[in-house]
Amino acid sequence: SGGAKLIFSLEYDFDALVKGVGGEKPLAEQFPNTTFVVFNAQPNVDDAGNTIHDNVISVLFNVHESSYLAGYLSVYVNENLTTLFDADAYNFNTDSNTNRILGFIGGTASDGITVFSTGYYEGANAAAKELDVTYQAIEKLDAGFADGAVGSSFTQSVYTAGGNIVYACAGNVGTGVTSKSADAKRLSIEVDANKDDIRPGNVMTSVLKNTNVPVTDLVKRYKDGSLGDVDAIMNYTLESGATDITDLATIEGYITEEGKATWDNILEKLEVAKNKIEDGSVVVTNRQIGESFDPASLSNVT
């Protein structure tokens, strides 16, 4: 009602916008000259997959691609723990007979969460295949998003089983994961923003959603008059810079002098993996748009 022509919404309840509530028409219908941009969801499609309102844009981040990089990195780091890190500063399980385990904890068993886990497993699988080793994934997909104690308990169970790395996609549950990784002197992975310095040396990396990229893009399109030409669903890729893993600068500060050459080699391999995603030679399953995933398709991760 204030006359805004472009509105960005970071809410998670889209009923008022798309369907209408309390007998009111949908906001998108009430304000047809305003473009509404929502993030991390596709509420503006009907059961047949057709767009409902022409003035609603859904922004999705290709976090399956950045999660792939996190999984790829996890395996290479886990395989080189004794070379990369100071044994006195960490308490890793370095027995290769028992430590080829990766943990993943998600808030719900929804496509918005499994898009992270599936990408993670596929990246881990690629690295494990290169190294001719086999990994086990331990996951929990009903953690909710509030209780850090749930994250702490799950992380301890993964560490007790022999794993060294746990990936958290569960809001505040992740605080329990990162806290436990510091207490146990092992590693964790965070999401959404760069949280590497929350527990420096224990948060290995974070899978990013750089909201500024689509916001800047869509504002520029609004300004030049091309906003009406964009798709109803905008997928922002690794190449766009809207999603990625962190630059690893924080964890790099904990790499030993003796481990620098190995670390540099891992970074080179990671860059090759990223380039393969960007040029299309590697395609990562995108659960958030409904792509199916069969765990049996993974040759080196169970």
Side-chain angles (χ1 to χ4, degrees), residues 244-256:
D244 204 337
I245 59 174
T246 56
D247 63 8
L248 304 172
T250 301
I251 194 67
E252 187 169 287
Y254 293 82
I255 303 298
T256 64

Side-chain angles (χ1 to χ4, degrees), residues 16 70 218 226 239 242 244 249 257:
L218 294 172
S226 65
E239 195 169 9
D244 204 337
E257 199 61 40

Side-chain angles (χ1 to χ4, degrees), residues 1-8 31-37 55 222 227:
S1 61
K5 298 300 181 184
L6 179 60
I7 295 176
F8 295 91
F31 303 100
N33 296 320
T34 297
T35 299
F36 298 88
V37 181
N55 58 330
Y222 170 73
L227 188 62

Side-chain angles (χ1 to χ4, degrees), residues 147-153 155 171-181 183 190:
D147 191 353
V150 175
S152 179
S153 176
T155 301
N172 286 334
V173 171
T175 62
V177 175
T178 56
S179 178
K180 178 58 69 175
S181 69
D183 292 344
E190 264 285 4

Side-chain angles (χ1 to χ4, degrees), residues 113-136:
I113 295 297
T114 58
V115 64
F116 291 92
S117 61
T118 297
Y120 186 59
Y121 302 148
E122 289 182 340
N125 187 73
K129 192 172 182 179
E130 290 174 2
L131 294 167
D132 194 25
V133 295
T134 300
Y135 271 72
Q136 176 190 358

Side-chain angles (χ1 to χ4, degrees), residues 66 74 91 111 137 166-167 214 251:
S66 40
S74 292
N91 187 31
D111 290 344
V166 176
Y167 182 10
I251 194 67

Side-chain angles (χ1 to χ4, degrees), residues 104-115 117 140-145 169-170:
F104 179 90
I105 184 167
T108 63
S110 64
D111 290 344
I113 295 297
T114 58
V115 64
S117 61
K140 180 178 177 61
L141 295 177
D142 60 355
F145 297 91
C169 297

